[in-house]
Amino acid sequence: MSIPDLSIISQHPTAVVYCEANFGRMDGKTANGLVRYSEKYKILSVIDSTKAGHDSGTLLDEKENGIPICRSLSASLELAEGVPDYFIFGMAPSSGMLSPVERSIVLEALGLGMNIVNGLHEFLNDDPEFAMAAKAGNVKIIDIRRPRAKKDLRMFSGRISKVTCPRIAVLGTDGAIGKRTTATILVRALNERGIKTVLVGTGQTGLIQGARYGVAVDAIPCQFCSGELESTIVEAFESEQPDVVIIEGQGALSHPAYLTSAYILRGSMANGVVVQHAPARTHLGDFPDTPMPTATSEINLIETFGRTKVIGLTINHENMTDDEVSAAIKAYEKELGIPATDALTRSPDRLVDMVVEAFPVLVEKLSACTI
């Protein structure tokens, strides 16, 4: 579905992002993504008392971005010199629910007159206490993951065959591994090189960032997951007439707890896949007793299950030095026989080359831009 405009108050509404004790960590991926890129909101600050006083960009990517980390909501408001338009809950815990402390902070934000953006599985509009607080403050709660009514959910139809441009899914070997970040950088790089590209989001963070097309796949009954994604991709293709559609991945196809990659592959019928992998990660993020798959095993699984082709590997450089990243890129290219790069620390041109090499029909678009 096309994502409704969340800019309720102004064209560029201001926001603070709550990420207590999780900024820069796996469960803080929504906050991490928003300080890197936000098309919808002007992010004023991040709330995390454990990292207060730091610049969020410096902590995350060693590049200052001017978005400070504050110790509390009151400190954020003092810095903003007023009440921001939105309070964004910037964490994605595996439970998908608010803790009692978090409930009190969201209620405090509502009482101050801030709209709430909620990406959890818990729909706050359905909670009488939150609903009453929003009504009293004349503000809105946006439950990003809420799907359309069941009577309106769509099943897979085969209409994806009408999408004649390359459909490239960015999948991975684990959850919270950087798939959305890589997809965002790839979309931007392709557009800058003259290849019109549309991103289809599949999770709450991408939708909060401002993806115009998308659906939170993990909040939809499984019978409709592939159909909802198919319909969204078709809508994006028909509305935008892009040269490429990039589909954000979720979880991992091999992951025993997160099955959304299967629906993404089936619904998109992707004819190309970029795989994101963290070489230094030894076990699945929230499952310390479950070892990480290898890049090779995940690629084999994706290509077999999805009847598709992996066109490149991108690296999450967590716990790696720059020299180790360079060595890993070289080793994976030799082992796998496909291009490899790190989307955050290497030139985005390598991502563009990865796509153009796999789909030579795009060369004409690229040449038209660079002549």
Side-chain angles (χ1 to χ4, degrees):
M1 64 180 176
S2 180
I3 300 304
D5 190 351
L6 303 184
S7 304
I8 294 173
I9 294 181
S10 66
Q11 188 175 356
H12 300 289
T14 56
V16 299
V17 183
Y18 181 79
C19 194
E20 177 59 27
N22 276 286
F23 185 74
R25 301 177 64 182
M26 289 181 62
D27 283 356
K29 67 178 185 178
T30 298
N32 301 342
L34 285 167
V35 301
R36 284 181 171 135
Y37 174 75
S38 175
E39 189 176 332
K40 286 288 184 183
Y41 304 101
K42 179 181 179 181
I43 306 301
L44 301 181
S45 62
V46 175
I47 301 169
D48 182 347
S49 65
T50 67
K51 299 178 179 67
H54 291 279
D55 178 271
S56 60
T58 301
L59 278 182
L60 200 60
D61 298 317
E62 299 182 354
K63 295 178 183 178
E64 187 173 341
N65 64 9
I67 301 175
I69 302 178
C70 298
R71 69 181 183 277
S72 63
L73 177 57
S74 60
S76 280
L77 298 184
E78 183 178 349
L79 189 67
E81 298 181 345
V83 178
D85 301 322
Y86 285 84
F87 176 98
I88 301 175
F89 190 84
M91 293 184 288
S94 57
S95 68
M97 308 291 281
L98 289 175
S99 71
V101 170
E102 291 161 356
R103 283 183 64 91
S104 66
I105 291 178
V106 174
L107 287 167
E108 180 184 355
L110 283 168
L112 290 166
M114 300 174 71
N115 297 281
I116 305 298
V117 178
N118 167 45
L120 298 175
H121 284 293
E122 179 181 9
F123 300 147
L124 303 188
N125 279 297
D126 294 342
D127 185 304
E129 187 176 16
F130 285 111
M132 288 178 62
K135 184 177 181 180
N138 194 29
V139 292
K140 295 184 181 294
I141 299 173
I142 301 171
D143 290 316
I144 289 291
R145 267 188 167 121
R146 184 186 291 277
R148 65 178 71 239
K150 285 186 179 179
K151 65 181 179 62
D152 297 324
L153 290 173
R154 299 160 291 186
M155 294 185 66
F156 185 84
S157 67
R159 290 194 304 143
I160 196 69
S161 62
K162 295 182 179 180
V163 180
T164 54
C165 70
R167 302 178 303 278
I168 302 171
V170 180
L171 305 182
T173 52
D174 193 8
I177 205 168
K179 299 179 289 291
R180 184 198 66 259
T181 297
T182 291
T184 301
I185 294 171
L186 175 56
V187 168
R188 186 185 305 155
L190 287 169
N191 278 307
E192 288 176 352
R193 295 286 292 276
I195 298 173
K196 186 177 181 181
T197 306
V198 173
L199 174 67
V200 173
T202 58
Q204 74 277 13
T205 302
L207 302 184
I208 294 172
Q209 284 178 314
R212 284 183 293 163
Y213 300 92
V215 56
V217 178
D218 64 357
I220 296 172
C222 60
Q223 184 176 4
F224 302 101
C225 283
S226 60
E228 278 294 304
L229 182 59
E230 176 196 39
S231 295
T232 303
I233 294 170
V234 171
E235 181 182 351
F237 176 71
E238 292 179 345
S239 298
E240 307 293 337
Q241 293 296 302
D243 301 314
V244 177
V245 175
I246 301 295
I247 302 101
E248 175 197 8
Q250 297 294 322
L253 188 58
S254 64
H255 204 299
Y258 307 134
L259 306 180
T260 40
S261 285
Y263 304 125
I264 289 168
L265 276 170
R266 287 289 189 249
S268 70
M269 299 291 286
N271 43 22
V273 174
V274 173
V275 172
Q276 178 95 0
H277 181 57
R281 193 178 290 190
T282 59
H283 61 269
L284 296 180
D286 292 324
F287 303 87
D289 296 326
T290 306
M292 281 281 290
T294 65
T296 300
S297 67
E298 195 72 24
I299 288 170
N300 289 339
L301 181 60
I302 288 169
E303 292 187 334
T304 301
F305 178 85
R307 297 192 294 275
T308 187
K309 178 67 176 176
V310 172
I311 65 172
L313 181 81
T314 49
I315 288 173
N316 178 321
H317 58 256
E318 63 183 33
N319 300 317
M320 298 175 71
T321 66
D322 193 68
D323 286 343
E324 289 171 337
V325 171
S326 294
I329 289 171
K330 185 176 180 180
Y332 281 124
E333 288 189 332
K334 182 177 180 180
E335 176 188 351
L336 302 173
I338 56 176
T341 190
D342 178 343
L344 278 172
T345 66
R346 301 304 189 264
S347 170
D349 288 346
R350 186 57 171 155
L351 291 172
V352 175
D353 293 343
M354 192 181 287
V355 171
V356 172
E357 287 172 16
F359 299 97
V361 68
L362 298 172
V363 170
E364 292 183 6
K365 300 288 184 180
L366 190 62
S367 299
C369 172
T370 55
I371 287 176

